[in-house]
Amino acid sequence: MPYFRSVGDVPRKRHLRTPGPEGGLLYEELMGEEGFSGGSSLLYHLWSPSAIVAAEPAADPRAPLAPNAPLLPRHLRTPSLPAGGDAVTGRHALLGNADLTIAWVAADRSSSLYRNALGDELVYVQAGAADLESVFGRLPAGPGDYVVVPRSTTHRWVVPEGGRVELLVVEARGHIRPPRRYLSPTGQFLEAAPYCERDLRGPGGPLVDTSAGGPADVLVRHRDGLSVHRHARSPFDVVGWAGCLYPWALSIHDFEPIVGSIHQPPHVHQTFQGEGFVVCSFVPRPYDFHEGAIKVPYHHANVDSDEVLFYSEGDFMSRAGSGIGKGSISLHPGGFVHGPQPGSVERAADQTRTEEVAVMIDTFRPLDLGPAARTVEDERYPWSWAT
Ligand SMILES: [Fe+2]
């Protein structure tokens, strides 16, 4: 995160003995990236964050992914995936490679405590609402929100009683950040960036759970699978924190589109950069306004990437007739030239704007397919341009 926040009770100077509310000293934790050389926050705990009393392996229900072979464009229908479960263990892994896993979940209950030690997570809320509760506090999220959860943040997703939330989840193996080119040398968003600090939301206040006096289990995803750490007391004991590393949210509706008289490449829609991938946001905007403009994407071969599009809301002019609709995911792999469906260039000629909302994930290594993807695949899609 490019800028500093201070939440709750934080001493004026760091690394000094600080009395806690119960008479003892607070326990200071530096949570930091890249050793001590990256972004970090200092958290002030009531109890030792290291106090675990047991650890054991946990079963990982995820089956291995399989190659996209024969090499084909794919259309996955997320509305056809089984709903239910919580926002962590109920995820269906659809696509992935060594840099990330793309998963889907329609959660109808709150998750238990969880931290992903493999990398940052980017959670896009397709429908419904949920609170991200973490050691940093509570961060409410609703439709159209991206939520970035830093690696190893202890958190849980809380779904309201009787509610349901649909989430597209990118589990990265590294960090997820605003594109570097949007930032000044000192980390401020530049005037030309399509969003800025004032569009970002962080936890509003500390979240101290003193009701749970006994042990608390935390599910940990790590290189070798899943483990459960039993903490002596609730990890939600942070009375204050300060720094530049914390969960944050950005609404896709606060992303300002950049348009031109002729078609702009996806580059202008970039929202995040990851290690081995980028994420772009397509939002309602005027169409290209040159009188001869081709208003839907021309055929293109991104020879160095696989392209994933999640169709969130609105019309999808370029995909009319392909079967693509709300909740669809398309995968256009490297080695395949993709473009608009037949007739869409002509149909768009008189249109002045698009109401589409879509999330694109371009990966720089080929993507494999999860078993759940195979169950909701539209097998006619690869041939939909040849009509
Ligand atoms: Fe494309």
Side-chain angles (χ1 to χ4, degrees):
M1 268 302 300
Y3 73 108
F4 177 86
R5 284 176 189 258
S6 180
V7 167
D9 294 329
V10 175
R12 191 183 70 80
K13 280 185 71 68
R14 58 187 173 177
H15 310 323
L16 299 180
R17 290 189 303 276
T18 305
E22 297 179 358
L25 298 178
L26 293 177
Y27 294 83
E28 195 180 45
E29 173 201 356
L30 180 78
M31 180 174 169
E33 297 176 346
E34 300 164 24
F36 289 82
S37 305
S40 67
S41 285
L42 269 171
L43 297 92
Y44 292 85
H45 294 266
L46 294 174
W47 309 301
S48 168
S50 307
I52 58 173
V53 296
E56 54 189 42
D60 188 351
R62 282 193 181 169
L65 307 185
N68 179 10
L71 185 72
L72 281 175
R74 309 276 179 171
H75 169 199
L76 315 177
R77 295 187 172 107
T78 63
S80 298
L81 288 166
D86 69 62
V88 174
T89 62
R91 295 175 186 176
H92 302 282
L94 300 175
L95 300 163
N97 62 24
D99 299 315
L100 80 170
T101 299
I102 300 170
W104 169 265
V105 58
D108 60 5
R109 70 197 72 161
S110 298
S111 76
S112 53
L113 292 167
Y114 169 63
R115 60 176 165 260
N116 183 345
L118 285 178
D120 295 354
E121 293 191 351
L122 176 69
V123 179
Y124 176 77
V125 182
Q126 165 66 1
D131 286 351
L132 175 77
E133 293 187 350
S134 76
V135 290
F136 294 93
R138 181 177 289 112
L139 182 57
D145 278 342
Y146 291 108
V147 180
V148 178
V149 186
R151 174 188 271 162
S152 285
T153 298
T154 303
H155 68 280
R156 64 186 172 209
W157 284 97
V158 177
V159 178
E161 191 69 32
R164 167 181 154 129
V165 65
E166 298 178 11
L167 306 172
L168 179 74
V169 183
V170 177
E171 300 172 355
R173 305 291 181 271
H175 298 303
I176 298 172
R177 294 173 171 141
R180 191 69 193 87
R181 70 178 189 280
Y182 291 173
L183 304 175
S184 76
T186 52
Q188 183 180 7
F189 281 90
L190 297 170
E191 190 61 20
Y195 62 96
C196 75
E197 289 86 350
R198 289 157 65 180
D199 297 314
L200 310 184
R201 309 185 327 262
L207 177 62
V208 179
D209 179 9
T210 54
S211 63
D217 287 347
V218 179
L219 185 67
V220 184
R221 180 168 288 284
H222 53 100
R223 190 195 64 175
D224 301 308
L226 293 170
S227 294
V228 173
H229 282 181
R230 177 158 294 175
H231 286 244
R233 308 182 77 161
S234 169
F236 287 175
D237 66 341
V238 175
V239 297
W241 60 270
C244 296
L245 182 63
Y246 50 86
W248 54 283
L250 165 70
S251 172
I252 198 169
H253 304 296
D254 283 330
F255 184 90
E256 293 298 325
I258 295 170
V259 299
S261 68
I262 58 173
H263 196 73
Q264 299 296 296
H267 189 75
V268 302
H269 307 288
Q270 190 181 350
T271 313
F272 303 99
Q273 68 179 39
E275 295 170 31
F277 66 95
V278 298
V279 178
C280 300
S281 302
F282 296 93
V283 298
R285 61 192 184 280
Y287 264 136
D288 320 316
F289 49 88
H290 189 287
E291 62 180 18
I294 298 172
K295 297 177 180 176
V296 295
Y298 37 80
H299 287 85
H300 50 285
N302 298 337
V303 299
D304 291 325
S305 58
D306 277 17
E307 179 187 296
V308 175
L309 257 171
F310 173 69
Y311 301 85
S312 178
E313 292 286 348
D315 58 347
F316 308 109
M317 177 70 74
S318 66
R319 316 315 318 281
S322 68
I324 294 282
K326 181 176 175 179
S328 291
I329 291 176
S330 63
L331 165 63
H332 297 145
F336 172 74
V337 181
H338 66 274
Q341 303 305 134
S344 58
V345 173
E346 295 82 353
R347 280 194 299 274
D350 296 330
Q351 303 292 316
T352 57
R353 59 180 287 116
T354 173
E355 301 301 326
E356 70 180 6
V357 178
V359 175
M360 189 179 84
I361 305 161
D362 258 16
T363 69
F364 306 144
R365 290 199 244 202
L367 287 162
D368 296 324
L369 292 150
R374 304 282 188 182
T375 67
V376 294
E377 185 176 1
D378 176 2
E379 296 187 348
R380 297 165 300 176
Y381 182 69
W383 331 117
S384 63
W385 287 268
T387 56

